[in-house]
Amino acid sequence: MPIHKLEQAQQGVSSLVAQNDASVLTLAAAHYGTLRKYAGSFLKAFEFRSARRYDPLLTAIDTLRKMYAEGRRVLPRPVPSSHFRNSEHRLIFSQEKPDRRLYEIATLAVLRDRLRSGDVWVEGSRSYRPIKEHLMPPAQFAQLKDNNDLALGVPLDGAAWLSKMQEQLDFNIKQLAYRARNGKLKDVRLENGTLIVTPQASDVPSGVEELNEELTQMYPHVEVPDLLRDVHEWTGFADQFTHVRTGDAPHNITTMLAGTLADATNLGPKRMAGASKGISAHQIGWMRMFHARSETYRAAQACIANAHALHPHSLLWGSGSTASADGQFFRASDRAEKLGDVNLHYSNEPGSKFYSHLSDQYGYFGILPISPTESEALYVLDGLYDHETRLEIEEIFTDTGGASDHVFALLMLTGHRFSPRLRNLKTRKIHAFEKAETYPALASHIGTPINTTLILDHWEDLLHLAASVTTRAVSPSTILKKLASSSKPSLLAKALRELGRLERSLFMIEWYSDPALRQRCRAGLNKGEAAHKLKRAVFFHERGEIRDRSFDGQAFRASGLNLVVSAIVYWNTVYLSRIVQHLRDQGRDIPNTLLKHISPLAWEHINLTGIYSWDSELAFNDTYRPLRLPRPISDAA
């Protein structure tokens, strides 16, 4: 666009923006006639309760209920108004008499937000009930507490623990300030009172790329049905798809594997049957109907994940105590397009995200379809508690999308370490117990003081919440949605946020101080991003577009994809170990410092598409396939 046209367009856009400066509340008042038709009946039908002892919102609701019952149009004086924000209050009471339309709409909007957060609930409702009813029964919590069996990351005595944290945070901030002033922070400098982190160079040693290419060329060529059969022979994962009624293992393993691959490749039963020899769509559909469920998929996933974690070669990549979590976007097509959500960060087309958890050993242990518009932070903890593997994750990495103060707090309460890669770190505040003036060198980094009173007043509730998560009485995403859904958070949500600020502040100080932490986080996230490429290669049909409209259908696709990718990773790990052992037997010196950078995510040797043959037999006298060894020079000549 020529510059003169851009200048002309700027004037038009500026006028449009100026015309839309009206308050949202004022715009909503134009639809008051529609609201009035049902508001009276709505308020009369339900009885609302609040977690606050004297809640002005409920008083305002009673006022509106009486006005509808008596047919009055003018608000009484005085009228409850402390539940409004200052901007709303000024608008409603700008005239001599308060505006009835604005008052009613604003009150109902506050009610909506408070219902979402669980701070206000509907008497007798199952959907809109208090937060405590989502948690474990109080009697059970009290018994665990009395027996000292909570097994959380914090002690029962909140005051003593908070005092210790205050000393630790104060010392860490002063130490960070001292090291920053004296240039003792590696790859971090202090400029005009602002800490700036220099990106680290890659820690991958030279020779890794050449070694990776050599090892990859030695993998046996394999068809994906044969690969799945191999992994089943090693682990028995297909036997975990037990019958919904009898509990028996599938009588036809081949059909069960075909149904799993149908989910993983996004083909579906009909197209998988059309691409397979000797298997009908009816057989696949019957097997999936009676054997494929969320719990059997989890059991099969755990079977492969456990075998992979125990393989000696997996220890080169990690101990299995850390993991990364990230979402991968897939576009929706056909019927699913109307029900998909649009997130312009990915594209202007609707779709869904598969949010998955990957251990440091490249082992998947959780996956869940979520809306692309939802915050990934809501689901970080779900993967830690919704799996049946032997993995005991101590530390979890995410990018900025998976981080929030609530997640920091809840992971700390449950005894986990949270290490996200935070974007725009220098603009994020460190929250101390003292004011910014206490730390002059870092004053621009210090935010509002931590509200210790709020934390201690709700310490019992915070322990109850954390214990409910660790005992799986409630899924973490369910409770985090409740706590984060309202623009006016509940007192429990505020207390959890204050606790998260404390934990995040300690983490940020360590991030500035410890280059090993930054390197460890980057390496963990890089593994997850590299695994996304393998997932997209497997989930190929219709260019990886999701066609399922229901959550269950998308969950099957996600679980099947996770299972087949895990089978590929385990198969590659087994043969990578055999390849390395073969080369070492030939006298090659292959140090583990290089091998730990060789991932099991290659798929060039695997035929993922075409006609699937499920009845082929092994053509060699061994439990393993022969490696593709380089031809001797004399033979090549």
Side-chain angles (χ1 to χ4, degrees), residues 540-556:
F540 62 83
H541 185 63
E542 297 287 346
R543 298 173 298 165
E545 295 177 345
I546 296 176
R547 307 183 69 180
D548 299 276
R549 291 182 294 176
S550 68
F551 175 83
D552 289 340
Q554 292 185 12
F556 275 159

Side-chain angles (χ1 to χ4, degrees), residues 233-490:
E233 292 293 332
W234 299 337
T235 66
F237 78 90
D239 293 333
Q240 306 304 313
F241 289 95
T242 55
H243 193 279
V244 65
R245 182 174 58 84
T246 65
D248 296 335
H251 65 276
N252 190 331
I253 295 296
T254 297
T255 306
M256 192 69 250
L257 295 177
T260 302
L261 188 61
D263 285 332
T265 57
N266 202 26
L267 280 170
K270 291 183 179 179
R271 291 181 178 84
M272 176 55 68
S276 301
K277 295 180 179 179
I279 298 179
S280 67
H282 175 75
Q283 289 176 305
I284 296 177
W286 188 94
M287 193 64 66
R288 290 177 76 251
M289 180 184 299
F290 290 98
H291 291 267
R293 307 182 300 281
S294 59
E295 57 267 27
T296 56
Y297 257 123
R298 279 200 304 270
Q301 181 70 49
C303 192
I304 297 179
N306 289 338
H308 181 260
L310 292 172
H311 196 281
H313 197 90
S314 296
L315 297 177
L316 294 175
W317 298 310
S319 62
S321 61
T322 68
S324 63
D326 194 17
Q328 185 174 12
F329 178 79
F330 292 96
R331 182 185 175 276
S333 65
D334 295 344
R335 296 175 299 174
E337 187 172 359
K338 296 180 180 179
L339 299 178
D341 294 323
V342 176
N343 186 335
L344 294 179
H345 176 75
Y346 302 104
S347 71
N348 60 353
E349 297 176 324
S352 181
K353 273 199 301 189
F354 288 172
Y355 193 71
S356 53
H357 289 69
L358 180 74
S359 76
D360 54 12
Q361 298 175 327
Y362 294 96
Y364 276 105
F365 59 92
I367 192 168
L368 185 70
I370 66 174
S371 168
T373 60
E374 283 190 290
S375 170
E376 294 182 357
L378 300 173
Y379 300 94
V380 171
L381 282 87
D382 278 24
L384 300 179
Y385 292 98
D386 191 25
H387 70 92
E388 300 175 5
T389 72
R390 67 188 309 275
L391 295 171
E392 296 183 3
I393 304 300
E394 300 173 1
E395 182 177 21
I396 187 162
F397 310 109
T398 71
D399 56 17
T400 304
S404 74
D405 289 341
H406 283 175
V407 175
F408 267 106
L410 200 50
L411 281 169
M412 183 266 292
L413 286 170
T414 55
H416 296 88
R417 178 180 171 83
F418 188 36
S419 301
R421 182 176 58 192
L422 298 175
R423 184 171 56 247
N424 300 327
L425 186 66
K426 63 183 179 181
T427 63
R428 296 176 181 268
K429 300 297 184 180
I430 295 174
H431 295 273
F433 291 86
E434 307 294 338
K435 294 183 179 180
E437 294 77 12
T438 310
Y439 315 99
L442 300 176
S444 62
H445 285 275
I446 306 300
T448 56
I450 296 171
N451 189 338
T452 56
T453 302
L454 189 61
I455 295 175
L456 292 177
D457 287 347
H458 292 84
W459 187 252
E460 191 84 359
D461 295 331
L462 293 171
L463 296 181
H464 191 183
L465 170 62
S468 299
V469 170
T470 57
T471 57
R472 304 189 184 188
V474 63
S475 66
S477 60
T478 298
I479 203 67
L480 286 175
K481 285 180 183 178
K482 283 285 185 183
L483 295 174
S485 61
S486 174
S487 59
K488 291 188 175 181
S490 64

Side-chain angles (χ1 to χ4, degrees), residues 615-630:
D615 55 357
S616 62
E617 298 293 337
L618 299 182
F620 43 90
N621 297 321
D622 196 357
T623 56
Y624 299 101
R625 301 173 186 274
L627 306 178
R628 284 188 294 155
L629 303 178

Side-chain angles (χ1 to χ4, degrees), residues 43 167 174 259 315 359 374 556 564 592 630:
L43 296 176
E167 295 178 3
K174 291 178 179 178
L315 297 177
S359 76
E374 283 190 290
F556 275 159
V564 170
N592 289 341

Side-chain angles (χ1 to χ4, degrees), residues 555-583:
F556 275 159
R557 292 284 190 264
S559 299
L561 177 61
N562 227 29
L563 187 63
V564 170
V565 168
S566 297
I568 292 174
V569 168
Y570 181 49
W571 193 94
N572 284 347
T573 301
V574 170
Y575 279 95
L576 186 58
S577 175
R578 294 178 61 80
I579 291 169
V580 172
Q581 188 59 49
H582 171 79
L583 293 177

Side-chain angles (χ1 to χ4, degrees), residues 15 88 208 224 314-315 396 523 588:
S15 63
E88 296 169 342
V208 169
V224 67
S314 296
L315 297 177
I396 187 162
R588 285 282 301 277

